[in-house]
Amino acid sequence: AQKVTQAQTEISVVEKEDVTLDCVYETRDTTYYLFWYKQPPSGELVFLIRRNSFDEQNEISGRYSWNFQKSTSSFNFTITASQVVDSAVYFCALSEEGAGNMLTFGGGTRLMVKP
Amino acid sequence: KAGVTQTPRYLIKTRGQQVTLSCSPISGHRSVSWYQQTPGQGLQFLFEYFSETQRNKGNFPGRFSGRQFSNSRSEMNVSTLELGDSALYLCASSPGQGGSSGNTIYFGEGSWLTVV
């Protein structure tokens, strides 16, 4: 069965620091999809990125970057020069091919960025 | 383009009652799925509907049910509410079935249910 682990339950940084959120996944499928979502206090899950298992290229979007490594089953998320507005809970999720839009979520990492 | 809309946003129910939550997906999206979020269990998949048919179901008791209408709008119902059903219920929509066609899954703001 699939599983997503976010070992860091809570991280606290000072503004402008770089921070990396870890995500490790387990799946028996060779085709799968990985996601990151941000959840502010309002509750909505805001989509950040989706990655296919056959595309191991790292991605950068502004201050955000993602490092996908199949060899270690990891899909880590780095925020460069963090800002107070980045404070939220971040979730990593996995979807397997053929499982429709069923996502398996990690436990989430609460990020607190202090001014 | 409007996002995923969920109603009501907040509600309080008494044990034993039933509740119906509504979700309007993004226009053109045909897949709607529901998730329950609690502090203890985290985010858990309830079920997914595509073209009015339930395609996947999570590990929840039969008290949890849902349906999808021809316009892709969806409702979920929880009968005989228990204290443990207090949670944030999130609805998500996607253009189609599965991720192989490059679908991204978008979430609404959720419905906060408190059972007293």
Side-chain angles (χ1 to χ4, degrees), chain B residues 14-17 63 78-86 115-116:
Chain B
T14 304
R15 270 183 303 174
Q17 287 186 317
R63 300 186 297 107
V78 187
S79 63
T80 319
L81 284 166
E82 301 176 358
L83 295 179
D85 296 332
S86 295
V115 181
V116 297

Side-chain angles (χ1 to χ4, degrees), chain A residues 44, chain B residues 2-9 11 19-35 46-50 52 65-77 89-94 105-111:
Chain A
E44 179 183 6
Chain B
V4 180
T5 304
Q6 293 187 244
T7 57
R9 286 278 286 138
L11 67 167
V19 66
T20 299
L21 308 177
S22 181
C23 173
S24 293
I26 293 171
S27 178
H29 286 193
R30 299 170 63 192
S31 169
V32 174
S33 48
W34 289 88
Y35 291 81
L46 280 158
F47 29 65
E48 178 193 4
Y49 288 87
F50 180 79
E52 302 179 66
S65 63
R67 59 177 176 169
Q68 185 180 34
F69 303 95
S70 58
N71 62 358
S72 293
R73 191 177 69 84
S74 176
E75 289 180 347
M76 69 161 283
N77 184 276
Y89 290 88
L90 289 160
C91 174
S93 81
S94 178
I105 303 168
Y106 298 92
F107 284 81
E109 290 187 301
S111 293

Side-chain angles (χ1 to χ4, degrees), chain A residues 86-97:
Chain A
D86 295 327
S87 297
V89 181
Y90 291 85
F91 290 93
C92 179
L94 167 73
S95 173
E96 294 178 329
E97 180 71 9

Side-chain angles (χ1 to χ4, degrees), chain A residues 10-76:
Chain A
E10 197 167 294
I11 300 176
S12 181
V13 299
V14 177
E15 207 170 18
K16 298 185 182 178
E17 282 187 30
D18 298 347
V19 58
T20 295
L21 310 182
D22 297 334
C23 172
V24 174
Y25 62 91
E26 296 176 28
T27 177
R28 293 181 181 176
D29 276 18
T30 55
T31 303
Y32 51 89
Y33 308 88
L34 296 165
F35 300 77
W36 275 95
Y37 287 90
K38 174 182 178 180
Q39 187 176 44
S42 63
E44 179 183 6
L45 283 171
V46 178
F47 168 78
L48 295 177
I49 189 171
R50 173 185 180 278
R51 189 49 112 204
N52 305 326
S53 56
F54 41 87
D55 182 3
E56 284 194 75
Q57 284 189 349
N58 292 330
E59 183 156 335
I60 298 175
S61 176
R63 297 185 296 108
Y64 296 170
S65 63
W66 290 269
N67 181 6
F68 177 27
Q69 292 194 333
K70 290 179 72 171
S71 61
T72 56
S73 297
S74 65
F75 185 41
N76 296 336

